[in-house]
Amino acid sequence: DDDDEVLFEMATQLGDLGELVGGPDRASVLLQPLEALCNVEETVVRDAAAKSICKIIDLLPDQVAQGTAVPMVIRLANGDWFTSKVSSCALVASAYVKSNGSGKQQLLQLFCTQLAKDDTPMVRRAVAKQLGAICSVVEAQEQHAKVVPLYKEMVMNDQNETVRLLALEQSPIIAANIKDVSFVLDVVKPQFQELSWRIRNSVTKGLGELAKACGSDLSVSQLGPLLPPLL
């Protein structure tokens, strides 16, 4: 159908049918139409489809997910258009949880190397939005080896300001999930000196949640001195 409102409703409702199509073992039949909806041009349709797919993946037994959901995420990530690549970014964390060792490595490689280095800013923005979700599900070794360096790269060096903003917004979640909070502080603190008010504003809005993740001592010693200049 070419009516975006119809497609949006389909994308939304399909996610609630997982228990009604024969139970978790058969819920994967819903992935095919949802995968098609992940390729459409309208953003709200793709976002709704991605949310529904995550609901379905959560229902699937690990073995079923490994045979259906994981290959689907990989297909979307390797699609010809930015639409499928953007959609795949929102699915990696859910698929990762259900994957085995080789599947996890493949998904992480897709996310941290292929999608994160895509020439299209829209794809890199989608990666930046999911940094916190990925950091929440990967093992500690992978956090420090792949996710945290990617976070730093996107905040410090990406030429697209929106990518930097979206990556910065993930700072509290990343700080809450890694043991070395000082690394996140080292990335965040220089952003207060940025000429761009949008960057400074983004960091400021996240200070409360970042303080919770850092604890009282680091908040007083590292974050407190940053506040007076902002005021």
Side-chain angles (χ1 to χ4, degrees):
D1 201 301
D2 61 357
D3 187 324
D4 289 333
E5 292 184 5
V6 173
L7 297 179
F8 172 77
E9 284 301 327
M10 288 180 62
T12 302
Q13 298 299 329
L14 284 169
D16 295 327
L17 298 179
E19 297 284 2
L20 305 176
V21 293
D25 290 338
R26 298 180 181 275
S28 61
V29 300
L30 299 169
L31 295 179
Q32 184 176 357
L34 285 169
E35 181 178 354
L37 292 169
C38 281
N39 284 279
V40 303
E41 188 172 351
E42 179 56 50
T43 303
V44 295
V45 176
R46 296 199 311 270
D47 289 347
K51 289 179 182 178
S52 289
I53 289 174
C54 289
K55 288 182 181 180
I56 301 301
I57 292 176
D58 290 344
L59 284 176
L60 297 177
D62 290 358
Q63 190 170 0
V64 175
Q66 291 163 17
T68 57
V70 174
M72 178 197 64
V73 175
I74 293 171
R75 283 195 302 274
L76 288 169
N78 288 307
D80 294 329
W81 301 99
F82 78 90
T83 52
S84 67
K85 296 177 183 179
V86 168
S87 296
S88 71
C89 295
L91 307 176
V92 172
S94 293
Y96 188 92
V97 173
K98 298 286 185 173
S99 297
N100 55 19
S102 60
K104 287 182 176 181
Q105 287 302 312
Q106 191 171 8
L107 288 169
L108 208 53
Q109 179 74 11
L110 272 176
F111 185 85
C112 294
T113 303
Q114 182 175 320
L115 294 169
K117 305 298 182 184
D118 195 271
D119 292 335
T120 308
M122 286 174 285
V123 177
R124 298 202 306 279
R125 290 201 295 267
V127 170
K129 286 174 65 176
Q130 298 299 323
L131 284 171
I134 295 296
C135 191
S136 300
V137 299
V138 303
E139 297 76 11
Q141 181 179 351
E142 300 294 1
Q143 286 176 345
H144 291 282
K146 295 179 180 177
V147 180
V148 173
L150 174 58
Y151 157 74
K152 181 179 180 180
E153 174 71 19
M154 287 191 146
V155 171
M156 306 290 282
N157 299 321
D158 199 290
Q159 299 302 306
N160 186 281
E161 186 178 65
T162 307
V163 173
R164 296 181 62 196
L165 288 167
L166 290 169
L168 272 172
E169 289 176 4
Q170 302 302 305
S171 300
I173 304 175
I174 293 173
N177 281 280
I178 66 173
K179 294 181 178 179
D180 186 11
V181 177
S182 61
F183 182 93
V184 176
L185 290 174
D186 289 342
V187 173
V188 169
K189 287 166 65 178
Q191 308 310 312
F192 287 95
Q193 309 302 320
E194 278 288 328
L195 293 177
S196 168
W197 71 268
R198 294 180 69 207
I199 296 289
R200 298 198 307 275
N201 185 52
S202 177
V203 182
T204 304
K205 287 194 295 186
L207 271 181
E209 291 300 315
L210 185 58
K212 290 180 183 178
C214 292
S216 59
D217 291 342
L218 281 177
S219 295
V220 171
S221 63
Q222 301 291 322
L223 299 179
L226 303 174
L227 293 173
L230 295 171
L231 294 171

